[in-house]
Amino acid sequence: MKSKIINLNSNNIKIITRSLLIGKTIVIPTDTVYGIAADAKSFQGVENIFKIKKRPKRFPLILFTHSIAEAKKLAIFSPFEEYLASKYWPGPLTLILKKKGKKFYNGDKRLSKVGIRIPKNKDVIKILEYIQKPLATTSANIHGEINIKSLNQLGIIKSKDVAYAIEKKGKMSFKESTLVETKNNQINIIREGSLSKKLDSQLNILADKTSGDPNKIRSLVSELLQEGIVSTKTPEFLSLSRTPSTLVINSNLLDFNDFAIAPAAVSPLILYG
């Protein structure tokens, strides 16, 4: 087992990539927990993960990519989902998104959605950039058992289908990623994780900042326009209202001359927290 545990470098990244391409799996450190990963375009590799973990097929794997552009090749993003990705990736947020085609395998081709995230780990990003394919992945423990914090104590490394285990270099929270699905710009947290509290706080910040006061709204909108954090997505103006994830602002509250933007271009302002 010791011979399988390695530090990633420019030489062995080629060996690791070849292992993935022939259907083997690897154990990787992430910003959350240790994961087991396979080439998401390798049916055998993904099947090996289910076999090694004793994981039921009703629990599909998530995908790691190295950029939002790559993720968009695999799934369809709404403007709100793209905003969440740009704000929280790389990091411990897994977005449940509508699949785009069948360019990968994560356990069940019949499913219409897939979980995707960009991990905040330099070694994993290097592998993703080198292989130029998504990785299908899940936590590196036997299904139903707790996550192990020591690489040397991971029993799955003994499997003949695990080619290598990469030593960690960066910080790991040892808390799973927050699993999120959106609908109509509303967030549904499917699995609590290391980001959950921060996410809840961010989604409420706009309402807390403005309290519905037109002057505060005007000031905040001006700030957000300058920072490029404003999306303009619905067909007609609505009255001032708030959901857990959006603040919709009536155009009558704003003097658009202040923002060098025409009212016709804003229908209405949807401000993401």
Side-chain angles (χ1 to χ4, degrees):
M1 187 173 78
K2 278 285 185 183
S3 61
K4 290 185 178 182
I5 299 176
I6 60 173
N7 281 297
L8 187 73
N9 58 46
S10 57
N11 292 321
N12 59 33
I13 194 170
K14 299 175 184 178
I15 301 170
I16 289 168
T17 300
R18 283 200 294 270
S19 297
L20 290 168
L21 292 175
I22 63 171
K24 296 292 185 180
T25 68
I26 59 173
V27 171
I28 54 175
T30 73
D31 46 338
T32 56
V33 299
Y34 281 109
I36 180 170
D39 174 3
K41 297 187 178 183
S42 166
F43 177 83
Q44 186 58 55
V46 173
E47 287 290 297
N48 278 335
I49 291 180
F50 283 96
K51 181 179 71 173
I52 293 166
K53 275 183 61 81
K54 302 177 182 177
R55 183 181 177 93
K57 285 292 187 67
R58 67 178 181 273
F59 299 107
L61 309 183
I62 71 165
L63 302 184
F64 280 175
T65 67
H66 63 81
S67 70
I68 294 177
E70 287 300 308
K72 283 184 173 181
K73 295 176 182 178
L74 307 170
I76 298 168
F77 286 72
S78 70
F80 184 44
E81 288 162 341
E82 187 168 356
Y83 167 76
L84 290 173
S86 66
K87 186 172 181 67
Y88 295 108
W89 287 357
L93 174 68
T94 299
L95 288 173
I96 305 299
L97 303 162
K98 187 175 180 180
K99 282 183 181 179
K100 184 185 285 185
K102 297 181 179 179
K103 301 175 181 178
F104 57 86
Y105 177 60
N106 67 327
D108 192 338
K109 292 183 178 180
R110 298 170 298 176
L111 297 175
S112 63
K113 294 189 175 183
V114 61
I116 300 179
R117 84 177 181 100
I118 301 176
K120 194 173 184 180
N121 181 282
K122 291 180 179 179
D123 281 348
V124 179
I125 295 298
K126 285 177 183 176
I127 293 170
L128 287 162
E129 289 175 339
Y130 193 89
I131 196 171
Q132 285 297 303
K133 292 183 179 184
L135 292 179
T137 184
T138 182
S139 55
N141 57 297
I142 299 299
H143 181 74
E145 296 184 1
I146 62 170
N147 290 306
I148 303 297
K149 295 183 179 181
S150 171
L151 193 58
N152 288 298
Q153 293 178 6
L154 282 175
I156 67 170
I157 295 177
K158 297 175 183 177
S159 169
K160 64 181 179 60
D161 291 311
V162 174
Y164 297 100
I166 299 169
E167 291 269 22
K168 76 179 181 74
K169 295 175 185 174
K171 292 181 179 179
M172 296 176 66
S173 68
F174 294 104
K175 295 179 181 178
E176 293 181 320
S177 66
T178 300
L179 199 61
V180 162
E181 189 169 17
T182 73
K183 184 177 181 181
N184 298 326
N185 292 343
Q186 305 251 1
I187 280 183
N188 177 27
I189 297 179
I190 297 172
R191 181 183 70 196
E192 297 287 339
S194 56
L195 191 64
S196 298
K197 289 183 180 179
K198 183 178 179 181
L199 196 59
D200 287 337
S201 173
Q202 289 291 330
L203 294 178
N204 290 321
I205 195 169
L206 287 172
D208 294 341
K209 277 187 176 182
T210 64
S211 303
D213 184 298
N215 291 323
K216 290 182 180 179
I217 291 171
R218 186 176 292 109
S219 174
L220 182 60
V221 170
S222 180
E223 176 187 335
L224 294 176
L225 280 168
Q226 291 176 15
E227 294 179 3
I229 309 178
V230 172
S231 182
T232 60
K233 290 295 172 190
T234 49
E236 56 185 325
F237 294 111
L238 303 175
S239 59
L240 180 65
S241 61
R242 189 181 76 82
T243 71
S245 57
T246 65
L247 181 67
V248 182
I249 297 177
N250 189 325
S251 64
N252 295 328
L253 297 175
L254 307 173
D255 178 358
F256 286 93
N257 291 325
D258 293 344
F259 310 121
I261 185 169
V266 184
S267 311
L269 291 173
I270 300 180
L271 307 181
Y272 299 141

